[in-house]
């Protein structure tokens, strides 16, 4: 089992299910599903890591970037192989830059 597959805990899955149920009840589920990006299966573990680490973001005068020490702690906690650290850091930082740009425009 790849480390990315371990990242999806049962609790996260239940939270996602609850969110989908709320959307279904409000009639907005189809709209959300159509707008969700397609994630290639071999990159799902990076997407999962971003959502876990997004919650560690410092708040204050606007959104702050995900700290490198949080990414390293995640790698250690989740058992990410040292060979994958560099890729994870690279992609998370690019995703984070995109999210911060979006958040700034959103105001």
């Amino acid at each position: 089992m790849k480390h990315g597959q371990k990242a999806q805990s049962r609790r996260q899955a239940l939270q996602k299910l609850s969110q989908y149920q709320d959307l279904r009840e409000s009639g907005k589920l189809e709209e959300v599903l159509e707008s969700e990006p397609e994630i290639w299966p071999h990159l799902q573990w990076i997407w999962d890591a971003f959502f876990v680490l997004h919650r560690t973001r410092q708040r204050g005068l606007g959104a702050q970037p995900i700290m490198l020490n949080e990414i390293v702690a995640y790698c250690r906690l989740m058992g990410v192989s040292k060979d994958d650290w560099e890729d994870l850091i690279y992609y998370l930082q690019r995703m984070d830059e995109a999210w911060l740009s979006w958040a700034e425009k959103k105001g």
Side-chain angles (χ1 to χ4, degrees), residues 50-77:
F50 179 77
F51 279 102
V52 169
L53 290 165
H54 175 70
R55 294 176 183 230
T56 70
R57 191 182 300 281
Q58 298 292 313
R59 305 260 189 243
L61 299 174
Q64 301 297 312
I66 296 170
M67 303 297 291
L68 181 58
N69 64 330
E70 294 290 344
I71 298 172
V72 170
Y74 176 88
C75 288
R76 289 183 175 143
L77 180 66

Side-chain angles (χ1 to χ4, degrees), residues 4-75:
Q5 293 169 332
K6 292 186 238 176
Q8 183 71 13
S9 71
R10 180 178 178 177
R11 184 176 193 187
Q12 289 169 322
L14 290 174
Q15 287 173 339
K16 190 176 269 189
L17 178 61
S18 175
Q19 291 169 349
Y20 280 120
Q21 288 172 337
D22 291 344
L23 287 169
R24 186 174 2 145
E25 290 171 8
S26 70
K28 297 181 180 179
L29 180 61
E30 289 302 318
E31 179 183 331
V32 170
L33 290 176
E34 288 177 14
S35 68
E36 283 190 356
E38 182 179 339
I39 307 299
W40 294 336
H42 69 282
L43 297 176
Q44 182 68 47
W45 69 281
I46 295 172
W47 188 252
D48 293 340
F50 179 77
F51 279 102
V52 169
L53 290 165
H54 175 70
R55 294 176 183 230
T56 70
R57 191 182 300 281
Q58 298 292 313
R59 305 260 189 243
L61 299 174
Q64 301 297 312
I66 296 170
M67 303 297 291
L68 181 58
N69 64 330
E70 294 290 344
I71 298 172
V72 170
Y74 176 88
C75 288

